[in-house]
């Protein structure tokens, strides 16, 4: 739901800050006062086309910020999470347009492509006007509305996933058939390479262990000789370290008097004698047990040579051989009578096609039943909107040969026949701007209970109507607002009298500059504005009384 709109230096608006709530909000004012500023600004926040001429004269840039509460819009929150732009339950869309025509887009403070504003905006708001229909003329909108009306969104999603699975398998099978010769050659090569790597049977970390063992074995003689010499120096030579320490102790112990200052030194020499003796014993045992094993060295070097040669052959480092082996084995398994074989893929494709057909048939049945009900209910609403002759048809066009498609077995399109006896044709080719707005209103009223678009915007939906029909339009718009949020630009008092919130748009001139002002009206102000809409500039007591009666009736009707 739209909660706030801030517009700076756009058109004749220097600074506009508006708060919005649930229900129906009407925008009224004299022609040319700037009512379109709000709708155009929202269109830009939704990713609409920018025009440098819209920047206020004398300003460097126009800045538009629309804030939405998305806590009750799963489709929007999922989109934000998927693009890592989520920020609790609030979503802020911002558009900055420079006077040279360049524009920048932001979502929750993060720069983003303009396409992101359009994608996300379509889940937040739908704008319907005589000149701008963001969704009603698109077939995907027709399908979405019908599936929501039928309560078949989950079934439609399952059908879409089944198609994706079928399509992926179909692509793999096509590629396999088209590249049969290359696949066979690749298969033979893989078999040979995997067999070589199987024979090598290199384990993870084995090469590192072998290299360390080789280093030890290749220096065995030096290790043995050095260890033997160290043994002699520690304990076995005539002037070994142990003997020299013992002699030092004897000299200190034979002193004629006891010297307290040397006590610690004598203790250190005693400990050194013990440690040297233990070190000598350890060295002797090491020399006695040490096995140089030239045969093992040759074995290790032969194994390392085989590893290095295999790595050079595949132009990778030895450390990557185990991972490379696993990758080739997996590819071979997928091609060699595995999941990638033609026969296996054909069987899989048939199973996926059956699953898709089951779901798509259920979806088609649900759509057929819902379409008849939808057409009847929209016809009833159109009759209330003084369009009883208009025939509305939800057309389900079956795919050729029942070919699988992402959205089922049929293409869905809303058609209308404006006059009796004429064939139903697409909305864009038949309906005028005013008719399209009223048809849109009728559709939205019917699907309001199931539609996931929380904010609906109608620009001059009441063009060409008056009297009782205008009052019906007001009731329908207010009814839509009861279930969500509706913004509408209107010239009819009968419509404005029934809104929950009323914004009055005016303009004034100051210091040779024109400004637009948008302000919320209280009850007295609303009565005055309804009177203006009824009677023009010169308002009589009768006009004001009529306006008060209309306003009171419009508010009371819905309580």
């Amino acid at each position: 739901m739209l909660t706030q709109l801030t517009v700076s230096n756009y058109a004749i608006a220097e600074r506009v800050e508006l708060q919005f709530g649930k229900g129906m909000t009407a925008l009224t004012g004299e022609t040319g006062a700037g009512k379109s500023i709000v709708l155009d600004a929202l269109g830009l926040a939704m990713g609409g086309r920018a025009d440098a001429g819209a920047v206020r004269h004398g300003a460097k840039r126009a800045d538009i910020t629309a804030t939405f509460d998305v806590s009750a819009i799963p489709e929007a929150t999922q989109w934000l999470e998927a693009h890592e732009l989520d920020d609790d339950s609030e979503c802020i869309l911002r558009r900055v347009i420079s006077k040279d025509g360049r524009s920048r887009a932001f979502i929750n403070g993060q720069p983003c492509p303009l396409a992101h504003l359009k994608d996300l905006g379509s889940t937040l708001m739908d704008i319907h006007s005589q000149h701008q229909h963001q969704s009603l003329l698109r077939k995907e909108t027709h399908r979405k509305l019908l599936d929501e009306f039928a309560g078949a969104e989950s079934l439609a999603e399952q059908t879409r996933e089944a198609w994706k699975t079928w399509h992926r398998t179909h692509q793999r099978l096509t590629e396999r058939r088209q590249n049969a010769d290359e696949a066979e050659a690749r298969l033979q090569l893989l078999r040979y390479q995997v067999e070589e790597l199987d024979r090598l049977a290199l384990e993870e970390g084995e090469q590192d262990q072998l290299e360390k063992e080789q280093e030890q074995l290749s220096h065995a003689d030096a290790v043995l000789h050095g260890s033997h010499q160290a043994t002699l120096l520690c304990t076995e030579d005539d002037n070994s370290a142990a003997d020299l320490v013992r002699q030092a102790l004897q000299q200190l112990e034979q002193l004629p008097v006891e010297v307290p200052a040397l006590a610690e030194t004598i203790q250190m020499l005693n400990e050194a004698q013990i440690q040297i003796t233990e070190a000598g014993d350890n060295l002797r045992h090491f020399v006695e047990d040490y096995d140089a094993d030239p045969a093992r060295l040759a074995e290790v070097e032969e194994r390392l040579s085989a590893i290095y040669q295999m790595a050079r052959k595949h132009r990778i480092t030895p450390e990557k051989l185990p991972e490379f082996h696993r990758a080739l084995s997996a590819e071979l398994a997928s091609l060699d009578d595995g999941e990638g074989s033609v026969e296996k893929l054909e069987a899989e494709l048939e199973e996926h096609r059956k699953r898709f057909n089951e779901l798509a048939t259920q979806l088609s049945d649900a759509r057929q039943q819902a379409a008849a009900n939808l057409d009847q209910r929209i016809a009833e609403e159109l009759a209330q909107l003084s369009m009883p002759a208009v025939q509305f048809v939800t057309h389900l066009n079956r795919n050729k040969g029942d070919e699988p498609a992402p959205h089922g077995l049929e293409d869905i399109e809303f058609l209308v026949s404006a006059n009796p006896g004429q064939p139903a044709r697409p909305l864009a080719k038949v309906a005028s701007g005013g008719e399209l707005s009223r048809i849109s209103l009728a559709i939205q009223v019917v699907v309001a209970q199931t539609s996931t678009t929380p904010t609906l915007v109608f620009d001059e939906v009441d063009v060409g109507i008056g009297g009782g029909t205008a009052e019906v339009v007001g009731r329908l718009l207010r009814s839509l607002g009861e279930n969500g949020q509706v913004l509408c630009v209107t010239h009819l008092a009968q419509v404005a009298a029934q809104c929950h919130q009323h914004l009055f748009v005016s303009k004034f001139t100051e210091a040779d500059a024109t400004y637009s002002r948008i302000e919320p009206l209280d009850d007295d102000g609303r009565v005055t504005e309804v009177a203006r809409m009824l009677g023009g500039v010169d308002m009589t007591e009768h006009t004001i009384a009529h306006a008060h009666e209309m306003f009171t009736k419009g508010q009371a009707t819905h309580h």
Side-chain angles (χ1 to χ4, degrees):
M1 180 184 73
L2 178 67
T3 59
Q4 183 173 337
L5 176 67
T6 303
V7 181
S8 298
N9 296 320
Y10 179 68
I12 59 174
E14 183 178 37
R15 177 76 178 180
V16 173
E17 290 187 24
L18 299 174
Q19 306 292 328
F20 296 91
K22 292 182 179 180
M24 171 188 170
T25 298
L27 285 88
T28 66
E30 295 285 357
T31 300
K35 295 186 296 297
S36 62
I37 288 176
V38 173
L39 270 60
D40 291 345
L42 286 172
L44 289 171
M46 299 296 108
R49 194 170 185 176
D51 181 4
V55 178
R56 180 176 173 80
H57 179 70
K60 294 182 178 179
R61 65 187 65 86
D63 197 324
I64 298 163
T65 301
T67 304
F68 293 85
D69 179 355
V70 295
S71 57
I73 315 175
E75 192 173 353
T77 56
Q78 290 168 10
W79 189 99
L80 288 167
E81 289 172 1
H83 291 81
E84 297 182 348
L85 292 168
D86 49 313
D87 185 13
D88 295 327
S89 61
E90 191 172 70
C91 174
I92 301 175
L93 307 186
R94 183 182 175 212
R95 187 80 177 276
V96 179
I97 304 166
S98 302
K99 62 180 180 180
D100 59 4
R102 292 179 300 174
S103 77
R104 291 174 293 156
F106 303 85
I107 298 177
N108 284 338
Q110 298 297 317
C112 67
L114 191 60
H116 281 187
L117 281 188
K118 293 181 180 179
D119 291 344
L120 179 58
S122 66
T123 70
L124 302 172
M125 177 178 290
D126 208 355
I127 298 177
H128 303 276
S129 71
Q130 295 189 66
H131 308 292
Q132 179 184 17
H133 290 269
Q134 289 191 338
S135 67
L136 190 58
L137 300 181
R138 298 199 300 264
K139 290 183 181 180
E140 53 265 34
T141 300
H142 304 172
R143 180 184 62 250
K144 180 173 178 287
L145 290 174
L146 179 61
D147 287 345
E148 288 174 353
F149 184 74
E153 301 100 315
S154 176
L155 184 56
E157 179 61 26
Q158 294 178 52
T159 302
R160 185 159 43 251
E161 291 301 318
W163 176 85
K164 288 179 181 178
T165 303
W166 173 87
H167 184 63
R168 284 194 297 266
T169 305
H170 185 270
Q171 285 184 316
R172 289 172 57 202
L173 179 59
T174 301
E175 290 172 1
R176 186 67 196 274
R177 285 170 173 168
Q178 291 176 344
N179 303 301
D181 292 340
E182 291 94 343
E184 184 60 30
R186 178 63 177 166
L187 184 61
Q188 296 301 325
L189 176 61
L190 282 171
R191 285 173 179 162
Y192 173 74
Q193 292 176 327
V194 171
E195 286 174 4
E196 274 192 327
L197 290 165
D198 285 344
R199 288 195 297 271
L200 182 64
L202 179 63
E203 297 181 0
E204 204 78 46
E206 181 186 354
Q207 173 219 345
D208 185 50
Q209 294 176 356
L210 288 171
E211 287 176 343
K212 291 179 180 177
E213 187 178 359
Q214 180 198 32
E215 186 177 12
Q216 290 285 334
L217 291 171
S218 63
H219 295 90
D221 291 341
V223 171
L224 188 60
H225 176 73
S227 299
H228 178 68
Q229 291 300 315
T231 304
L232 294 176
L233 291 170
C234 282
T235 58
E236 297 185 2
D237 274 357
D238 292 339
N239 291 318
S240 66
D243 286 339
L244 293 172
V245 172
R246 185 167 55 253
Q247 292 175 27
L249 277 170
Q250 289 174 353
Q251 292 296 322
L252 294 176
E253 289 170 350
Q254 293 173 3
L255 293 174
V257 295
E258 183 177 339
V259 182
L262 294 174
E264 184 177 353
T265 302
I266 293 171
Q267 176 66 27
M268 293 171 64
L269 287 171
N270 279 317
E271 292 176 356
Q273 186 178 19
I274 295 171
Q275 290 182 351
I276 291 171
T277 301
E278 290 180 354
D281 291 341
N282 289 342
L283 285 168
R284 185 171 60 256
H285 291 314
F286 174 78
V287 170
E288 290 172 354
D289 297 337
Y290 190 73
D291 185 8
D293 196 359
R296 175 57 184 166
L297 176 59
E299 182 182 329
V300 169
E301 290 180 339
E302 183 180 355
R303 175 68 171 164
L304 284 172
S305 176
I307 294 172
Y308 297 150
Q309 184 178 358
M310 186 67 72
R312 285 194 299 271
K313 183 175 183 178
H314 293 288
R315 299 181 180 180
I316 59 176
T317 60
E319 296 83 359
K320 294 183 178 179
L321 277 174
E323 180 184 352
F324 182 68
H325 186 189
R326 289 192 294 270
L328 291 187
S329 298
E331 186 180 355
L332 177 61
S334 70
L335 294 177
D336 190 10
D337 293 328
E339 62 181 19
S341 67
V342 171
E343 294 78 9
K344 184 73 178 292
L345 287 172
E346 288 176 340
E348 284 185 14
L349 188 67
E350 183 62 27
E351 286 300 315
H352 296 326
R353 177 63 183 264
K354 288 180 180 178
R355 175 60 177 165
F356 170 82
N357 284 344
E358 290 174 1
L359 293 168
T361 299
Q362 294 177 36
L363 183 59
S364 293
D365 292 343
R367 286 170 171 172
Q368 288 283 1
Q369 295 178 15
N373 188 21
L374 180 65
D375 293 350
Q376 179 180 351
R377 292 182 59 180
I378 290 177
E380 293 171 357
E381 298 296 340
L382 289 174
Q384 291 190 67
L385 294 170
S386 300
M387 300 179 72
V390 173
Q391 181 186 11
F392 182 90
V393 178
T394 303
H395 181 60
L396 279 65
N397 185 28
R398 198 80 170 183
N399 301 339
K400 292 182 179 179
D402 287 344
E403 186 67 19
H407 304 293
L409 295 174
E410 59 274 316
D411 191 25
I412 299 168
E413 186 173 17
F414 291 161
L415 308 178
V416 295
S417 172
N419 299 294
Q422 292 184 343
R425 299 175 61 198
L427 282 173
K429 297 182 179 180
V430 178
S432 64
E435 289 174 331
L436 192 54
S437 292
R438 277 182 279 167
I439 292 172
S440 170
L441 177 59
I443 294 172
Q444 294 295 348
V445 168
V446 173
V447 303
Q449 299 299 324
T450 56
S451 176
T452 58
T453 305
T455 301
L456 304 174
V457 181
F458 294 93
D459 184 12
E460 300 185 359
V461 70
D462 46 25
V463 169
I465 61 173
T469 303
E471 187 174 343
V472 171
V473 170
R475 286 204 303 267
L476 293 178
L477 289 172
R478 184 170 176 117
S479 175
L480 276 178
E482 298 287 353
N483 298 303
Q485 185 181 48
V486 169
L487 280 64
C488 70
V489 172
T490 181
H491 291 284
L492 294 180
Q494 295 95 324
V495 174
Q498 301 189 65
C499 65
H500 297 91
Q501 180 184 18
H502 195 146
L503 299 178
F504 177 65
V505 185
S506 61
K507 66 178 179 179
F508 63 95
T509 302
E510 184 177 282
D512 296 327
T514 302
Y515 297 87
S516 180
R517 179 191 294 120
I518 305 176
E519 53 190 337
L521 300 178
D522 57 17
D523 287 355
D524 290 339
R526 293 179 65 177
V527 170
T528 300
E529 173 60 4
V530 170
R532 183 198 66 78
M533 298 171 76
L534 284 171
V537 177
D538 298 324
M539 289 183 286
T540 65
E541 292 183 4
H542 176 73
T543 304
I544 294 176
H546 185 195
H548 187 275
E549 179 184 2
M550 183 178 292
F551 171 72
T552 303
K553 179 183 177 183
Q555 299 300 305
T557 302
H558 307 280
H559 293 290

